[in-house]
Amino acid sequence: MLIRRFENKDAQYIAEIINRNFFEVNIKNYTKEELNARLFNEEKVRIIAGYSHMYVCCLDNEIVGCGAISKNWGNIEESILLTIFIKPELHRTGIGKLIIETLEKDELFLRAKRIEIPSSITACEFYFKMGYKYLT
């Protein structure tokens, strides 16, 4: 297993993984219309990678997951974890945990006094298991 920084050539694979998650996993909490409005393409992935530190997880030279961390609206004391997705067939294998642990070692995480995760309803349980709490 290898986790490395995003490269532009990764955008298509990441968009595919994200969209698969929408329609294979998140569909239980959202309508098709809601998910269609959130679809990712290569450009959207590259935009996120442009303002964040994005990582990809590779297994046998194949991209199987991704995650990013960014300043929260430019605030140097806050960061957000975003675009954390794993191929649906590899959920519950520890890859998501490995990506979170990688993001937690990033400079944008280490200097932050507050971390936020704008998550889908579907992913809330995963983040809770990773030690993150719901905003109240």
Side-chain angles (χ1 to χ4, degrees), residues 103-115:
L103 296 171
E104 290 174 341
K105 293 175 187 167
D106 187 277
E107 65 187 87
L108 295 178
F109 186 95
L110 296 173
R111 61 107 179 103
K113 293 180 180 173
R114 181 175 176 274
I115 301 292

Side-chain angles (χ1 to χ4, degrees), residues 68-81:
I69 185 166
S70 173
K71 295 176 189 171
N72 193 2
W73 298 103
N75 183 335
I76 63 169
E77 294 185 349
E78 296 183 5
S79 290
I80 57 173
L81 303 183

Side-chain angles (χ1 to χ4, degrees), residues 77-88:
E77 294 185 349
E78 296 183 5
S79 290
I80 57 173
L81 303 183
L82 57 142
T83 322
I84 301 169
F85 291 93
I86 312 303
K87 281 185 147 188

Side-chain angles (χ1 to χ4, degrees), residues 46-114:
R46 285 188 181 108
I47 289 169
I48 292 169
Y51 65 76
S52 70
H53 294 176
M54 183 176 275
Y55 296 85
V56 297
C57 181
C58 301
L59 181 61
D60 298 327
N61 294 318
E62 176 188 355
I63 296 174
V64 296
C66 62
I69 185 166
S70 173
K71 295 176 189 171
N72 193 2
W73 298 103
N75 183 335
I76 63 169
E77 294 185 349
E78 296 183 5
S79 290
I80 57 173
L81 303 183
L82 57 142
T83 322
I84 301 169
F85 291 93
I86 312 303
K87 281 185 147 188
E89 64 271 21
L90 296 174
H91 285 198
R92 302 190 191 285
T93 62
I95 295 172
K97 180 180 179 183
L98 186 60
I99 290 172
I100 293 289
E101 289 170 347
T102 299
L103 296 171
E104 290 174 341
K105 293 175 187 167
D106 187 277
E107 65 187 87
L108 295 178
F109 186 95
L110 296 173
R111 61 107 179 103
K113 293 180 180 173
R114 181 175 176 274

